[in-house]
Amino acid sequence: MAELFLSAFVTLFVVIDPPGCAPIFAGLSADATPRQQRIMAMKAVLVASAILFGFAAFGEALLAALHIDLDSFRIAGGIMLFIIALEMVLEKRTQRREKRAEKLRAQHAQTPETEDISIFPMAMPMIAGPGAIATIMLLVGSTPGREGTLVVLGALTAVMLFMLAALLAAGPIIRLLGASVESAITRLLGVLLAALAAQYVIDGVKGSFGI
């Protein structure tokens, strides 16, 4: 179970990417007071957690209702995660997030009051994006028994706690890491995610063809 927890934690940590979300949150909430930033950080993590736990609990039933085989979802999810990993290695994901942040900052500059960014874009799609939703469904669907599911949910809880800590300490983290260190970490995590994504596709193909 310790191995399962570590595997699930690393996978979710790479996909949800707390260190990558922290600078985006810091930039979007730059005009807010420290108290408003804390409230928005907590609200974003709570809403994103509710979304991910909801898909973890009812995702398999949703697939059954849509007549989608779990192995097919493994293949599709693996391909999606591989694309995310490729973007991380090439830094396309970071560039896209920065462009989205710049656009939202420009919108905020046109409004005098502080805008609540906790639900959109932080909770969704920054934290609980399609990749995170697909990953938690894959992990829960690939884990046998209730005990294994609880271990995966425990790993998700740990990652979300890391996310909360990262958002609350967004400013100091940016100053501590620097752009070059953050870029190196993102690329390394992208390579690890690519290997995990390839494994999901292999498992899906094996299950589909009974290999």
Side-chain angles (χ1 to χ4, degrees):
M1 286 301 166
E3 184 179 347
L4 173 61
F5 178 88
L6 182 60
S7 175
F9 177 83
V10 170
T11 304
L12 289 168
F13 189 90
V14 170
V15 174
I16 297 175
D17 190 17
C21 289
I24 303 299
F25 176 78
L28 292 176
S29 62
D31 296 332
T33 65
R35 181 176 180 276
Q36 289 173 326
Q37 287 178 333
R38 288 194 297 271
I39 292 174
M40 285 191 287
M42 289 186 285
K43 188 189 295 186
V45 173
L46 284 174
V47 172
S49 298
I51 293 171
L52 294 176
F53 276 101
F55 274 97
F58 304 108
E60 195 169 345
L62 177 62
L63 291 181
L66 295 174
H67 304 290
I68 299 174
D69 187 73
L70 184 58
D71 288 318
S72 299
F73 189 79
R74 284 194 183 101
I75 296 172
I79 293 172
M80 182 184 298
L81 293 180
F82 188 83
I83 293 172
I84 293 174
L86 189 62
E87 289 181 340
M88 289 174 70
V89 173
L90 300 176
E91 292 194 323
K92 297 294 184 181
R93 193 184 190 199
T94 302
Q95 292 172 9
R96 186 172 65 250
R97 280 179 166 176
E98 288 176 349
K99 286 181 181 179
R100 185 185 298 162
E102 286 295 333
K103 182 178 179 181
L104 289 167
R105 272 196 290 268
Q107 293 175 353
H108 293 172
Q110 299 173 4
T111 56
E113 69 277 3
T114 300
E115 194 167 340
D116 188 356
I117 50 116
S118 58
I119 308 299
F120 177 84
M122 286 312 304
M124 185 122 185
M126 289 289 185
I127 302 175
I133 291 172
T135 301
I136 192 62
M137 290 177 65
L138 282 170
L139 289 171
V140 171
S142 303
T143 304
R146 173 183 283 184
E147 187 177 354
T149 299
L150 291 176
V151 170
V152 172
L153 295 181
L156 175 60
T157 302
V159 172
M160 298 312 289
L161 290 175
F162 266 95
M163 176 62 76
L164 179 59
L167 296 187
L168 292 175
I173 285 178
I174 295 171
R175 291 192 295 270
L176 179 65
L177 292 179
S180 58
V181 176
E182 182 185 350
S183 175
I185 293 173
T186 298
R187 292 189 177 193
L188 176 61
L189 294 177
V191 173
L192 294 175
L193 181 59
L196 290 167
Q199 189 62 53
Y200 279 134
V201 174
I202 292 170
D203 292 342
V205 171
K206 284 182 177 179
S208 296
F209 294 98
I211 300 175

